[in-house]
Amino acid sequence: MRPWFWMSLVFFALAPVLALTPEWREVDVDKDGRPEKVAVTNLADVAFNLRGQIVGWYVKTARATDFRGNYERAHNLVRPGQTLPGTLEGFVPTAFEFTRREASNPDADFIATFTDGSTRLTYIIHPRFLTLDVEVESPTPRKLIWTGIGGTDTPITKWLGQGNAQPINAGQGPAVYVGWQTQKSSGFAMFLRPQEPTPISMTQLNGAGIAEVSLPPGRFSLKVYGGLNELVRLHVEGFYQLPGVFQPNIWGQVSLGLIWALEQAHRLAGGSWILAILIVTVAIRLLMWPLMHQQFKSIAEMQKIQPLIKKIQEKYKDNREKQQEEMMKLYQEHRINPLGGCFPILLQMPILFLMYKVMVGYEFGQGFLWIRDLALPDPLYILPFLYILVLLASTWLSAAGNKDALRQGILINLVFAFILFSFPAGVTLYWLVSTLIGVGQQWLINKQLGLPLAPAKG
């Protein structure tokens, strides 16, 4: 294979080692000669100027990406040329502070505080979430301006009025939430939700949605989501439940079912996500047991008649038509469907894909032993290496004494296993346990059919 292919695999494998540590940094993100304060987290980097406005909100499509101050190619939710999000009318801070709740805790909240006399604007950023809290304390009424969204000239804007069942693209009056999306069911999104219905006007101007929030005197707080316009993440952040936020397709509906199963298993397991993943994995394999039984049996039977297949291939090597005819007779004689093992294998791929989509977007807030977070790759690669061992055992059994099939299976499967090095630990755990159950099922079938467990010598 080409060198670039192996280099790409090495890069993906090293991703866990390069994972960043959440921290405050100083970066001149808008290139005005003055550095901004940037809250760097595994999910997004949020940059503030000293006036309390958000200059950049850089979403990470791959968790734990470190932009290293190079934001030119990062997706910025802040739309250029518009009033910056977080603009508090008549607010000129004379003091500011950027802190963490616990300096030694990587999951501790980031806190940015801006003060102008008796008025205070505070942002609280939670490293495990894409929703930040905005708090305003003012003795007089204020107007907070929030704009969005970068990355499109035709944003989808949403304004949900109090008592309404579905949002409209613009409006004014007491609102439950306002939102911006680059696309209907994909891309990026930003949603602003006050604690209770609050007067908000949403207008569209020059390809941007501009929200003006009328704040009463006293203390006022709201939540702002900024990230992928994606079902799992919106569910985790508590915004999917709002009317009209997101319309899932059939795969989204299945994903919701998988999330429901994981959350129910989590409750059943007493709050352990590890046990929850194991419970769901075993449940899926039990449901698929009959289909997988057919797959393994078909593979085993194909290996059992390999000597007969080779004889036909050698005898009719110059007559492909006759060769195919004799092969079909052989399959009929032994009651074998050569494609019988394909469907169950193909069925597993969508399940793995959905499990990946769910776990890469979910927020477990939990790990085990050497793994700090199930949504991040295994930093010591122990799970991927265990998976490789189980995969080799599976390949060994499926080859059933056929050395050519063993060599081909090892090469193909190891390439796939290497990619798992960059998968979330929860996905790798699911696939490891699922494959281990499959090995046991395959061993039972091989034993029933009297197939050899090792290639013949020589």
Side-chain angles (χ1 to χ4, degrees):
M1 295 185 180
R2 296 180 181 274
W4 62 263
F5 175 79
W6 295 109
M7 290 176 65
S8 299
L9 289 181
V10 170
F11 173 79
F12 282 116
L14 289 176
V17 176
L18 303 176
L20 58 79
T21 300
E23 61 184 356
W24 281 110
R25 294 180 187 173
E26 289 193 357
V27 183
D28 184 9
V29 299
D30 57 5
K31 307 301 181 185
D32 64 352
R34 297 186 300 272
E36 283 72 42
K37 275 287 189 177
V38 184
V40 177
T41 77
N42 285 327
L43 301 175
D45 292 359
V46 183
F48 301 90
N49 62 22
L50 300 184
R51 295 181 296 280
Q53 301 164 310
I54 295 180
V55 177
W57 191 320
Y58 305 98
V59 181
K60 301 179 181 182
T61 54
R63 191 184 291 246
T65 299
D66 192 344
F67 294 124
R68 301 185 184 278
N70 182 17
Y71 293 108
E72 283 76 9
R73 295 187 179 181
H75 187 92
N76 189 3
L77 296 184
V78 176
R79 185 177 178 83
Q82 297 292 333
T83 303
L84 293 174
T87 298
L88 193 59
E89 200 172 70
F91 183 68
V92 183
T94 56
F96 40 83
E97 188 178 22
F98 303 92
T99 61
R100 301 286 301 276
R101 289 200 192 277
E102 298 176 46
S104 60
N105 182 3
D107 295 330
D109 292 342
F110 292 77
I111 303 175
T113 305
F114 305 87
T115 305
D116 175 17
S118 56
T119 300
R120 177 176 295 174
L121 171 62
T122 304
Y123 297 90
I124 302 174
I125 301 170
H126 315 286
R128 288 186 175 275
F129 295 91
L130 287 164
T131 299
L132 57 82
D133 293 308
V134 183
E135 297 179 355
V136 178
E137 295 179 61
S138 174
T140 60
R142 294 275 188 172
K143 185 170 289 185
L144 178 68
I145 300 174
W146 206 278
T147 58
I149 183 174
T152 178
D153 291 328
T154 56
I156 300 171
T157 56
K158 294 181 176 180
W159 178 91
L160 180 67
Q162 183 179 14
N164 294 346
Q166 289 297 319
I168 55 179
N169 62 3
Q172 59 181 358
V176 176
Y177 78 85
V178 293
W180 302 258
Q181 295 167 305
T182 56
Q183 299 177 52
K184 185 177 180 181
S185 299
S186 59
F188 299 87
M190 185 177 281
F191 291 99
L192 185 153
R193 183 182 66 191
Q195 278 189 329
E196 55 187 30
T198 301
I200 303 176
S201 69
M202 168 69 88
T203 57
Q204 293 185 354
L205 179 65
N206 299 327
I210 302 174
E212 295 185 356
V213 186
S214 298
L215 308 181
R219 186 170 183 174
F220 182 87
S221 64
L222 52 84
K223 293 184 178 294
V224 183
Y225 170 82
L228 292 175
N229 187 36
E230 192 267 332
L231 173 64
V232 175
R233 198 66 224 182
L234 291 171
H235 170 83
V236 168
E237 305 281 347
F239 281 82
Y240 168 70
Q241 295 79 359
L242 294 173
V245 165
F246 192 93
Q247 183 61 46
N249 56 21
I250 182 62
W251 293 112
Q253 296 288 355
V254 176
S255 296
L256 287 174
L258 186 55
I259 291 173
W260 178 86
L262 281 167
E263 291 177 344
Q264 293 302 312
H266 179 250
R267 295 187 185 95
L268 184 64
S272 170
W273 281 114
I274 294 297
L275 291 179
I277 293 172
L278 293 177
I279 291 171
V280 170
T281 303
V282 172
I284 290 174
R285 290 301 304 209
L286 287 176
L287 289 173
M288 294 181 61
W289 188 275
L291 285 173
M292 299 308 297
H293 180 86
Q294 183 61 38
Q295 170 201 335
F296 292 137
K297 185 177 179 181
S298 186
I299 292 173
E301 288 175 336
M302 284 292 292
Q303 293 300 338
K304 193 172 183 178
I305 64 170
Q306 279 302 308
L308 300 177
I309 292 176
K310 285 186 177 180
K311 286 182 180 179
I312 292 174
Q313 290 172 338
E314 291 172 2
K315 184 175 181 179
Y316 301 104
K317 61 182 178 180
D318 297 325
N319 188 341
R320 289 297 294 255
E321 186 175 338
K322 184 64 175 177
Q323 183 183 117
Q324 291 298 323
E325 182 182 333
E326 292 299 317
M327 295 274 278
M328 292 306 298
K329 288 180 180 179
L330 181 65
Y331 294 147
Q332 291 174 1
E333 179 183 343
H334 290 268
R335 297 180 181 178
I336 294 175
N337 180 1
L339 301 179
C342 295
F343 176 71
I345 294 175
L346 294 176
L347 182 62
Q348 290 183 84
M349 291 300 103
I351 296 175
L352 176 62
F353 171 75
L354 289 173
M355 190 67 77
Y356 174 85
K357 290 288 288 182
V358 166
M359 291 194 183
V360 80
Y362 204 84
E363 202 60 45
F364 296 98
Q366 192 180 101
F368 72 102
L369 299 178
W370 68 96
I371 297 173
R372 186 172 67 87
D373 190 341
L374 287 168
L376 289 171
D378 182 344
L380 300 181
Y381 312 118
I382 293 175
L383 289 179
F385 277 120
L386 287 176
Y387 174 75
I388 288 175
L389 293 177
V390 173
L391 197 59
L392 289 174
S394 176
T395 305
W396 186 276
L397 287 171
S398 63
N402 187 321
K403 289 187 289 185
D404 291 336
L406 179 61
R407 283 192 292 266
Q408 293 173 5
I410 288 175
L411 180 61
I412 294 172
N413 288 326
L414 283 184
V415 170
F416 174 71
F418 203 70
I419 296 174
L420 281 182
F421 277 44
S422 64
F423 274 27
V427 180
T428 309
L429 178 65
Y430 158 76
W431 201 235
L432 167 64
V433 176
S434 180
T435 306
L436 187 60
I437 295 172
V439 168
Q441 190 176 7
Q442 197 171 13
W443 179 82
L444 288 173
I445 292 172
N446 284 14
K447 188 177 180 181
Q448 289 173 359
L449 294 178
L451 290 173
L453 300 180
K457 295 183 178 179

